[in-house]
Amino acid sequence: MLESLKIGILGGGQLGAMLIRHAIDLGVNVKVIDKDPQAPCARYTSSFICADPTSYEAVLEFGKGLDIITIEREAVNIAALRELAKQGVKVFPSPDTIETIQDKYTQKQFLQSHNIPVVPGIAIQGKTELYSLESKLPGCLKKRRDGYDGYGVMVLKTKEDINAAFDAPCVLEELVDIKHEIAVIVARNEQGEVKCYDAVMMAFSEDKFILDSQIAPAQLDTSILQEATKLAEKIADAFQLVGIIAVEMFVTKDNKVVVNELAPRPHNSGHHTIEASITSQYEQLLRAIIGLPLGATDLRFPSLMMNILDSTYLNTHKKEVLTSLLAIEGAHLHWYGKIDHRPGRKIGHITIAGDTMESITAKADTIRKVLN
Amino acid sequence: MLESLKIGILGGGQLGAMLIRHAIDLGVNVKVIDKDPQAPCARYTSSFICADPTSYEAVLEFGKGLDIITIEREAVNIAALRELAKQGVKVFPSPDTIETIQDKYTQKQFLQSHNIPVVPGIAIQGKTELYSLESKLPGCLKKRRDGYDGYGVMVLKTKEDINAAFDAPCVLEELVDIKHEIAVIVARNEQGEVKCYDAVMMAFSEDKFILDSQIAPAQLDTSILQEATKLAEKIADAFQLVGIIAVEMFVTKDNKVVVNELAPRPHNSGHHTIEASITSQYEQLLRAIIGLPLGATDLRFPSLMMNILDSTYLNTHKKEVLTSLLAIEGAHLHWYGKIDHRPGRKIGHITIAGDTMESITAKADTIRKVLN
């Protein structure tokens, strides 16, 4: 049945390309929609539609004749997905789940209503409103919709910062006393089977909110890791999820675990699962939405994943840089093949897997030297 | 440089699809030619050309504008590849190498001229000639060209068998007293760097010459494994190879290692490298032809690979069969998504990797029960 199955992916970035990588293992047909004709996915499918996944008409047209639709980005047209679901296309995660998570405030409300601990926050209509909320500062201001990789997030320390604040619907969150940032990817299928990956620990770059590197498994107390897993499972059940959700969490200075944000799709914090886990997050998503048994999520070995960001150095010395990177044993390169350049943009990642965390950390240092 | 690189693959079968799987990791562009519009690769590239890779005109047209061409089958048009090489397209392995290996007799002569031990054999023009060679029987008759998966190979025990023999240019080989069949995949890049994978041991099905299962690493004396590796390295150097060659070998009852056949491309005996090795044979081929450093070939854990052959059972009960297979922890399914059915045809494979050879063998038994 797999060879006749038609799966649509909304979004054609690197997450979609890695999803196609694993779709090849199942021999399924993959159709992709993205408004960028040079999106990473465009080269790896015979069915690439260059159109906007946020357009009602485009998504409706895209979905005709598909068996299953999934996403690799949240910014998609929900009304069209609802209509397609009505017409019999399986939309996983459900349009309700995607819609709830699309908006950082409704996401927070949903989690609170299910007694999941979150960072406290209030909804803000726009900048003007902030001036009356000086008592709430310092705080973290996040656009309710369409933020990614740190775009749409800023810290407001004092009322002076308000002048440069986003003038858009936002959530103003309390500043949490963060000890660690961790993430758990949870999968659930139609049969209600739930499986979590081990929690990973993340390090973010200083000036941006973009992930620098990620270590699996997180080197934390078992009780904290169990709590994180419990929360992720609870979230999957609360949504009656079919698919995967990445649950980003904070471990506070007093060892509490609170949910920061959700992503109902493959996630940067799960790239390492390609090399380090028995089943990758991409294969797991496919298994979940096709209605196959979920795969084992065990880590085969410790791993470290580093994002590669676009920079002048990389642009001018690419071949030499790549050669140096690929000469490091056990360093798995994933190069996204992006055509247009923008400083700070994710253009690839490297996963170092195997051996001990010590040798992995040493290799990571070598890689940083090559990249900087 | 990777994102602008255009790589062409002659042949669009499962080997090509697995090559695309790994091309995604490097973000390169992939163009494929195959005469079957439903070839496994057709779905996973935006540049699929439905034409015959043995046609001069088709290959010449296909190759225009490509940076590098490689193969996933031997039956390709050599003259067109030579012309494309003249025009500046890098053809790896070289047209000479492919041409020598395409023909089982010139392949044998080449190996003998480089003092590589082979199964002794003589060239036969056609069936009539066989009647005068009764003294050479029993023997193994192989078509010189275009054999695969046991097609084009037959054992002639007595002169009565000659009536049903191939009437085509063949090699008549002595019957070797085979104790084991093993294979080594060797890679070499333009810089002359050579790396071998560990030898694997193969089990063939009783009535066909098609691979049933394969175990890595081969459970044989170190001296035999070293000899096999030495031969594979010698072969790569003899061809001044750029790419990979699978070297199939026999271990005779008196522990001699002789070369059976070569394949200058990714090979069934190297499927396990996707899950079990640091670098897969597919990534290794890409590294070699792009001019990047070769990757480490170490086995991460023992593995067993089984081919899935088309059968009535699979056709009628596919979903249940797949569900059972995917429920086995550590069983990695590769389903080729072939549309048309032909009994005995390879339609997928499963690699079991990790743990001990005992647990792997137990899982293989479970899989055989599911498949039969």
Side-chain angles (χ1 to χ4, degrees):
Chain A
M1 40 79 80
L2 292 174
E3 58 273 17
S4 59
L5 214 56
K6 292 186 181 69
I7 300 181
I9 308 173
L10 302 185
Q14 63 264 23
L15 297 166
M18 286 182 266
L19 196 54
I20 294 177
R21 184 189 197 272
H22 294 266
I24 293 176
D25 296 349
L26 296 178
V28 294
N29 300 283
V30 176
K31 188 176 176 182
V32 178
I33 179 171
D34 197 289
K35 66 180 173 186
D36 177 3
Q38 297 183 323
C41 281
R43 285 168 290 187
Y44 304 122
T45 173
S46 56
S47 306
F48 179 77
I49 307 298
C50 188
D52 187 349
T54 66
S55 147
Y56 179 84
E57 290 73 20
V59 172
L60 201 63
E61 179 62 27
F62 172 76
K64 277 183 194 158
L66 292 176
D67 298 302
I68 305 169
I69 291 185
T70 194
I71 61 169
E72 65 96 68
R73 50 178 270 170
E74 289 88 22
V76 297
N77 190 283
I78 300 296
L81 290 179
R82 286 219 172 88
E83 178 55 30
L84 288 167
K86 222 182 277 173
Q87 292 176 13
V89 181
K90 294 186 172 192
V91 180
F92 296 137
S94 71
D96 286 355
T97 298
I98 302 170
E99 185 178 47
T100 301
I101 295 176
Q102 263 181 348
D103 179 314
K104 287 183 180 150
Y105 189 64
T106 59
Q107 182 189 125
K108 202 183 285 291
Q109 285 180 306
F110 178 89
L111 292 171
Q112 285 175 315
S113 74
H114 285 84
N115 300 311
I116 312 276
V118 296
V119 181
I122 53 170
I124 306 285
Q125 286 309 312
K127 195 153 98 175
T128 324
E129 203 179 335
L130 283 170
Y131 291 103
S132 63
L133 293 167
E134 203 188 321
S135 64
K136 300 271 185 195
L137 302 189
C140 183
L141 189 70
K142 293 177 173 177
K143 284 189 187 171
R144 285 178 64 159
R145 302 176 69 92
D146 302 337
Y148 70 99
D149 285 356
Y151 295 99
V153 181
M154 54 171 31
V155 172
L156 301 181
K157 287 182 188 160
T158 64
K159 72 170 181 185
E160 281 67 42
D161 293 336
I162 296 175
N163 297 329
F166 307 127
D167 194 14
C170 283
V171 183
L172 181 63
E173 290 183 348
E174 290 179 15
L175 275 192
V176 180
D177 226 359
I178 301 167
K179 194 155 79 178
H180 301 294
E181 302 201 25
I182 62 174
V184 170
I185 291 174
V186 58
R188 188 178 174 282
N189 64 13
E190 277 185 284
Q191 292 77 38
E193 191 188 3
V194 175
K195 281 195 179 168
C196 284
Y197 287 88
D198 288 336
V200 301
M201 187 136 71
M202 292 169 289
F204 287 80
S205 60
E206 298 235 336
D207 51 342
K208 302 237 178 205
F209 296 84
I210 195 164
L211 184 64
D212 168 70
S213 65
Q214 176 259 84
I215 285 169
Q219 317 277 300
L220 294 175
D221 283 353
T222 314
S223 61
I224 293 177
L225 300 178
Q226 284 174 342
E227 174 66 11
T229 302
K230 214 185 71 188
L231 290 178
E233 287 172 349
K234 209 170 158 182
I235 289 168
D237 282 331
F239 280 112
Q240 289 289 295
L241 173 70
V242 179
I244 63 176
I245 289 184
V247 184
E248 294 188 87
M249 290 172 268
F250 296 137
V251 180
T252 63
K253 292 251 159 80
D254 52 350
N255 287 327
K256 295 231 160 36
V257 180
V258 295
V259 173
N260 174 26
E261 275 184 33
L262 307 179
R265 51 164 174 81
H267 191 255
N268 199 166
S269 67
H271 285 343
H272 70 291
T273 59
I274 293 177
E275 289 86 9
S277 306
I278 295 183
T279 310
S280 76
Q281 65 168 340
Y282 305 97
E283 178 180 339
Q284 195 74 304
L285 172 57
L286 292 168
R287 286 177 180 239
I289 65 178
I290 294 172
L292 295 166
L294 297 180
T297 53
D298 310 50
L299 264 184
R300 290 211 189 261
F301 9 71
S303 69
L304 185 147
M305 189 284 303
M306 295 176 69
N307 284 322
I308 304 176
L309 305 183
D310 205 352
S311 74
T312 310
Y313 185 87
L314 273 174
N315 288 342
T316 50
H317 296 78
K318 224 172 268 181
K319 171 90 188 226
E320 291 80 348
V321 169
L322 290 173
T323 300
S324 304
L325 292 176
L326 286 166
I328 300 167
E329 186 173 315
H332 298 277
L333 179 68
H334 293 264
W335 190 256
Y336 304 154
K338 292 183 180 173
I339 309 290
D340 56 324
H341 295 286
R342 201 181 334 132
R345 195 184 191 203
K346 289 180 198 165
I347 54 172
H349 77 265
I350 299 175
T351 301
I352 314 164
D355 307 323
T356 60
M357 199 47 94
E358 287 69 35
S359 77
I360 288 175
T361 311
K363 283 178 186 172
D365 289 340
T366 308
I367 291 171
R368 280 196 192 89
K369 276 179 206 136
V370 172
L371 289 178
N372 289 305
Chain B
M1 41 78 80
L2 292 174
E3 57 273 17
S4 59
L5 214 55
K6 291 186 182 68
I7 299 181
I9 307 173
L10 302 186
Q14 63 264 22
L15 297 165
M18 286 182 264
L19 196 54
I20 295 177
R21 184 189 196 272
H22 294 265
I24 294 176
D25 296 348
L26 296 178
V28 294
N29 301 282
V30 176
K31 188 175 177 183
V32 178
I33 179 172
D34 196 289
K35 67 180 173 186
D36 177 3
Q38 297 184 322
C41 282
R43 286 168 290 187
Y44 305 122
T45 173
S46 56
S47 306
F48 179 78
I49 306 299
C50 187
D52 187 349
T54 66
S55 147
Y56 179 84
E57 291 73 22
V59 172
L60 201 63
E61 179 61 28
F62 172 77
K64 276 182 194 159
L66 291 177
D67 298 303
I68 305 169
I69 290 184
T70 193
I71 60 170
E72 65 96 67
R73 49 178 271 171
E74 289 88 24
V76 297
N77 190 284
I78 299 295
L81 290 179
R82 287 218 170 90
E83 177 56 30
L84 288 168
K86 223 182 275 174
Q87 293 175 13
V89 180
K90 292 185 173 193
V91 180
F92 297 137
S94 72
D96 286 354
T97 298
I98 301 170
E99 186 178 47
T100 301
I101 294 176
Q102 264 181 348
D103 179 313
K104 288 183 179 149
Y105 188 66
T106 58
Q107 183 190 123
K108 200 182 286 291
Q109 285 180 306
F110 178 89
L111 293 171
Q112 284 176 315
S113 74
H114 285 83
N115 300 311
I116 312 276
V118 296
V119 181
I122 53 170
I124 306 285
Q125 285 309 311
K127 195 153 98 173
T128 323
E129 204 179 336
L130 283 170
Y131 290 103
S132 63
L133 294 166
E134 203 188 319
S135 64
K136 300 270 184 195
L137 302 191
C140 182
L141 189 70
K142 294 176 174 178
K143 284 190 186 169
R144 285 178 65 159
R145 302 176 70 93
D146 303 337
Y148 70 99
D149 286 355
Y151 294 98
V153 181
M154 55 171 31
V155 171
L156 300 181
K157 287 180 188 160
T158 64
K159 73 169 181 185
E160 280 67 42
D161 293 337
I162 297 174
N163 297 328
F166 307 126
D167 193 14
C170 284
V171 184
L172 181 64
E173 291 183 347
E174 290 179 16
L175 275 193
V176 181
D177 226 359
I178 301 168
K179 194 155 77 178
H180 300 295
E181 301 202 25
I182 62 174
V184 170
I185 291 174
V186 58
R188 187 178 175 282
N189 64 13
E190 277 185 285
Q191 292 78 38
E193 190 188 3
V194 175
K195 281 194 179 165
C196 285
Y197 287 87
D198 288 336
V200 302
M201 188 137 71
M202 292 169 290
F204 287 79
S205 61
E206 299 235 334
D207 51 342
K208 302 234 178 206
F209 296 85
I210 195 164
L211 185 63
D212 168 70
S213 65
Q214 176 260 82
I215 285 169
Q219 317 277 300
L220 294 175
D221 282 354
T222 314
S223 61
I224 292 176
L225 300 178
Q226 285 174 342
E227 174 65 12
T229 302
K230 214 184 70 187
L231 291 178
E233 287 171 350
K234 207 170 159 182
I235 289 168
D237 283 330
F239 281 111
Q240 288 289 295
L241 173 71
V242 179
I244 63 176
I245 289 184
V247 184
E248 293 188 87
M249 290 172 267
F250 295 137
V251 180
T252 63
K253 292 249 161 81
D254 53 349
N255 288 327
K256 295 229 158 38
V257 181
V258 295
V259 173
N260 174 27
E261 275 183 35
L262 308 179
R265 51 164 173 82
H267 191 255
N268 199 165
S269 66
H271 285 343
H272 70 291
T273 59
I274 293 176
E275 288 87 8
S277 305
I278 295 182
T279 310
S280 76
Q281 65 168 340
Y282 305 97
E283 179 180 339
Q284 195 75 302
L285 172 58
L286 292 169
R287 286 178 179 240
I289 65 179
I290 294 172
L292 295 166
L294 296 180
T297 53
D298 311 50
L299 264 184
R300 290 211 189 261
F301 10 69
S303 69
L304 184 148
M305 189 283 303
M306 293 175 68
N307 284 320
I308 305 176
L309 306 184
D310 204 351
S311 73
T312 310
Y313 186 87
L314 273 174
N315 288 342
T316 49
H317 296 78
K318 225 172 265 179
K319 172 92 189 225
E320 292 81 349
V321 170
L322 290 172
T323 301
S324 303
L325 291 176
L326 286 166
I328 301 167
E329 187 173 315
H332 298 276
L333 179 69
H334 293 262
W335 189 256
Y336 305 154
K338 293 183 180 173
I339 308 289
D340 56 324
H341 296 285
R342 201 182 332 132
R345 193 182 192 204
K346 289 180 197 165
I347 53 173
H349 77 265
I350 299 175
T351 301
I352 314 164
D355 307 322
T356 60
M357 198 46 95
E358 286 69 35
S359 77
I360 288 174
T361 311
K363 284 178 186 173
D365 288 340
T366 307
I367 291 171
R368 280 196 193 89
K369 274 180 208 136
V370 172
L371 288 178
N372 290 306

